[in-house]
Amino acid sequence: MLILGIETSCDETGVAIYDSKKGLLGHKLYSQVKLHTKYGGVVPELASRDHINYIIPLIHDLLKDCKTNIQEIEAVAYTAGPGLSGALLVGSSVAESLACSLGIKSIPIHHLEGHLLAPMLEENKPEFPFIALLVSGGHSQLIHVKKLGEYKIIGDTLDDAAGEAFDKTAQLIGLGYPGGAALSKLAEKGTKRYNLPRPLLHSNGLDFSFSGLKTAVLYLVKKQKNLTEKIKADIAYAFEQSITDVLVKKTIQALKQEGLKRVIISGGVGANTTLRKKIIAESKENKFDCYFPDLSFCTDNGAMIALAGSLRLNMPNKENYSFSVKPRWKLTEI
Ligand code: KG4
Ligand code: ZN
């Protein structure tokens, strides 16, 4: 079966076609980063309007690239939440009206479930159950994924999410928005000069707290008389080392606590090379398997939504093509 996936929860318009037998046929992404950069963050109203501009042309291009006719699509999956309500409404209304006009099934998907399942787009897929470290702009969670739709959140952020901490730190050293990837690139040029806190590293629980780390960066930046490129790189390095140490330590703690031997890392921060390297090193040491989505499927994309749709195909049908989005949908309430 061919499933069209649509993602518009924030500032990326993503579309993809997933073949339940052959896998991913193709995907397209339009990032609004340039549009929001000058405001230092996502402006919800602008995001919704830009999704409207790009979603239909992207679907046309995708169908053309995949040499697929719209009539061949057999179901439409779309992100119904959580996210920005206006942005979610664009994807949902396009998906539901398309499904209605074609007389096919529509499948509302939880955005985080999309991230959780993204490693299954790869050839080497994880099997259930596994621990997921879901680290994105809005979330830092450790989840015991028992099977499709059965998610136990065992660790959560008490304040800033990991991606948010990356973005705020990047902003403090003048890297613009969203700064996670840029900060990580700068950190490659840094060396060990500063020692930043590793919040909750030694606590017994699995929760995260990164706002103190961000404040420590703020004080460090303020202390500098001349914030040279070298100092910026060293701060980026220290920040990345601290945050990844905490993420990795808690992930291993979660595997031990839940008695599991498989872990997946997903969400935008999952694209971080240092985090990946540290988890891979620990997996050899502690004998567990780790799985990652391709770098392009760590951040928001339509492919993970199309895949989630294909896995949810056999769930009970929605009764009609009416819909409502859930900007604050909890993963445990699917
Ligand atoms: O999953 P995502 O695209 O959106 C949400 O659902 O939130 O994640 C975006 C986040 C941003 O905070 C961005 O700065 C961060 O992921 N990010 C990174 C990297 N690439 C993206 N953080 C650290 N290292 C990266 N390479
Ligand atoms: Zn996301």
Side-chain angles (χ1 to χ4, degrees):
M1 258 184 108
L2 294 189
I3 298 105
L4 172 67
I6 296 180
E7 154 65 35
T8 63
S9 66
C10 189
D11 57 349
E12 252 113 24
T13 319
V15 296
I17 298 177
Y18 192 88
D19 183 327
S20 47
K21 287 206 181 81
K22 294 185 196 154
L24 186 66
L25 294 192
H27 79 109
K28 295 263 166 207
L29 190 81
Y30 177 78
S31 169
Q32 304 178 351
V33 162
K34 272 197 194 137
L35 177 71
H36 302 291
T37 298
K38 60 175 176 254
Y39 304 101
V42 178
V43 183
E45 179 61 24
L46 294 183
S48 324
R49 292 183 198 192
D50 221 37
H51 284 306
I52 294 173
N53 290 336
Y54 285 92
I55 191 157
I56 303 290
L58 275 183
I59 294 174
H60 276 300
D61 284 357
L62 174 72
L63 289 166
K64 206 166 143 200
D65 274 15
C66 296
K67 297 186 175 51
T68 302
N69 190 298
I70 190 77
Q71 315 292 342
E72 293 172 72
I73 300 292
E74 291 160 286
V76 188
Y78 64 95
T79 305
L84 303 170
S85 52
L88 289 166
L89 279 167
V90 177
S92 309
S93 51
V94 168
E96 288 290 352
S97 21
L98 203 54
C100 178
S101 64
L102 294 168
I104 57 177
K105 192 167 176 171
S106 62
I107 314 167
I109 297 292
H110 193 291
H111 180 76
L112 297 185
E113 181 172 72
H115 278 304
L116 286 181
L117 302 175
M120 293 184 180
L121 288 163
E122 305 306 309
E123 232 161 75
N124 179 24
K125 303 177 201 319
E127 277 175 26
F128 298 117
F130 52 79
I131 292 293
L133 172 68
L134 203 158
V135 268
S136 68
H139 294 85
S140 302
Q141 292 184 325
L142 279 161
I143 303 164
H144 180 150
V145 177
K146 295 182 181 175
K147 57 179 188 179
L148 181 72
E150 226 181 277
Y151 309 122
K152 186 171 98 183
I153 295 168
I154 53 176
D156 211 337
T157 180
L158 301 177
D159 39 57
D160 290 357
E164 198 179 350
F166 264 97
D167 292 341
K168 287 179 177 169
T169 300
Q171 219 150 17
L172 287 173
I173 54 175
L175 295 178
Y177 177 87
L183 186 134
S184 176
K185 209 160 174 1
L186 184 62
E188 284 171 20
K189 295 187 198 145
T191 46
K192 190 169 177 345
R193 179 192 324 212
Y194 306 112
N195 203 5
L196 288 168
R198 285 157 169 71
L200 301 181
L201 186 71
H202 299 296
S203 73
N204 287 331
L206 295 173
D207 288 337
F208 302 103
S209 164
F210 295 125
S211 73
L213 174 58
K214 175 198 65 193
T215 311
V217 174
L218 174 69
Y219 287 134
L220 188 55
V221 168
K222 278 193 173 164
K223 248 181 27 196
Q224 308 304 318
K225 286 199 184 83
N226 180 14
L227 194 61
T228 62
E229 282 308 304
K230 177 66 183 129
I231 291 176
K232 284 185 190 177
D234 290 345
I235 294 175
Y237 175 87
F239 170 82
E240 193 177 65
Q241 289 302 320
S242 287
I243 196 163
T244 52
D245 274 358
V246 176
L247 292 172
V248 171
K249 164 102 189 297
K250 293 289 173 195
T251 305
I252 293 162
Q253 214 169 304
L255 280 163
K256 287 185 181 153
Q257 178 187 301
E258 303 294 301
L260 294 178
K261 287 281 175 197
R262 267 188 297 268
V263 67
I264 68 115
I265 314 284
S266 67
V269 182
N272 186 273
T273 316
T274 303
L275 176 62
R276 286 181 174 226
K277 280 188 188 154
K278 285 186 181 177
I279 280 280
I280 290 169
E282 287 293 340
S283 72
K284 287 178 186 143
E285 175 105 10
N286 286 291
K287 311 246 172 313
F288 61 85
D289 295 322
C290 50
Y291 301 83
F292 309 92
D294 183 81
L295 288 182
S296 52
F297 299 136
C298 283
T299 41
D300 292 349
N301 64 86
M304 65 185 194
I305 303 302
L307 166 80
S310 92
L311 297 177
R312 285 195 165 267
L313 263 178
N314 298 326
M315 301 267 175
N317 259 350
K318 270 173 74 224
E319 279 171 13
N320 54 41
Y321 295 107
S322 70
F323 63 94
S324 63
V325 295
K326 298 177 185 172
R328 295 185 183 278
W329 198 1
K330 285 199 179 128
L331 185 62
T332 44
E333 287 173 358
I334 294 186

